[in-house]
Amino acid sequence: QIVLSQAALWNIAYQPIDVIIARADQSVLWHACPYCSLEFSCRAAARLEPGGLFCQRFQQIDLGPGPMCVLARTMQAAFPHVVAVETGRGEIVMIGTNSEAGVIQKGFKERLQRSHVRRALARMGWDWTVPLNLVAFQNDSLAELASQESSGINTAANGEFAFTLPQEVMRWGNKL
């Protein structure tokens, strides 16, 4: 089963889910900030079946590395294994799993060929081979990146993204 909506994650009867795809709006918008929070990621992690994947699109045009570090820390606080995949210019998909084998594990190629995964990829105009050719940052690289910044984890209580992302977009200077 693939769940394509944040709202559906909260509304459907509890059953383990194979893949959750969270399609939030631009992350700098205040109403999208809760979907990048620790609480949301923990809820998704609790709903996954063993080996399930949580995928969250993060549009990061005109942002520096700080918000990316916050997102990496937030996801890694909810999932033992996280991968960041660059799916296009200014877009990152964060993928988390509870599986100790990690995101890219034995049978990954076959998993991409399952009918429900192929249907989801087809909606983006992709076939099952496209994800195998994308740039990805593995769990250890993300942890190293996140350790270099002093920012914390985004939670509903601290509103890290709600208060810092608009300022980051407006900040003048080199953001690489």
Side-chain angles (χ1 to χ4, degrees):
Q1 177 185 18
I2 296 179
V3 174
L4 294 171
S5 157
Q6 298 84 268
L9 181 63
W10 300 97
N11 295 334
I12 61 176
Y14 182 81
Q15 59 185 2
I17 299 169
D18 183 37
V19 178
I20 299 169
I21 301 173
R23 300 180 298 177
D25 287 332
Q26 278 281 346
S27 48
V28 299
L29 300 174
W30 67 269
H31 62 272
C33 292
Y35 300 115
C36 297
S37 69
L38 177 62
E39 294 83 358
F40 182 73
S41 296
C42 286
R43 172 73 177 182
R47 296 296 304 274
L48 289 176
E49 65 183 33
L53 299 174
F54 173 65
C55 309
Q56 185 170 28
R57 179 178 174 215
F58 184 70
Q59 295 173 311
Q60 43 92 19
I61 294 173
D62 209 20
L63 297 178
M68 193 65 213
C69 292
V70 171
L71 187 61
R73 278 194 187 133
T74 302
M75 288 284 290
Q76 288 180 324
F79 296 95
H81 293 281
V82 177
V83 172
V85 180
E86 185 176 12
T87 56
R89 186 175 179 161
E91 291 197 8
I92 299 285
V93 173
M94 301 295 289
I95 304 172
T97 184
N98 295 323
S99 171
E100 287 302 318
V103 173
I104 310 298
Q105 53 186 282
K106 184 178 180 179
F108 185 73
K109 185 176 82 169
E110 290 77 17
R111 184 179 196 160
L112 288 174
Q113 295 179 49
R114 291 181 188 165
S115 61
H116 67 286
V117 176
R118 291 176 75 140
R119 279 193 304 272
L121 291 171
R123 289 181 184 155
M124 299 184 302
W126 292 5
D127 70 4
W128 67 271
T129 63
V130 173
L132 299 174
N133 295 303
L134 298 173
V135 174
F137 302 93
Q138 300 297 323
N139 199 52
D140 295 338
S141 300
L142 287 174
E144 183 180 332
L145 172 70
S147 71
Q148 296 174 6
E149 287 285 326
S150 61
S151 50
I153 293 173
N154 185 48
T155 66
N158 70 15
E160 177 96 18
F161 275 179
F163 294 108
T164 61
L165 287 182
Q167 294 172 2
E168 177 66 14
V169 168
M170 295 178 64
R171 180 176 64 87
W172 189 264
N174 186 4
K175 297 184 181 181
L176 297 177

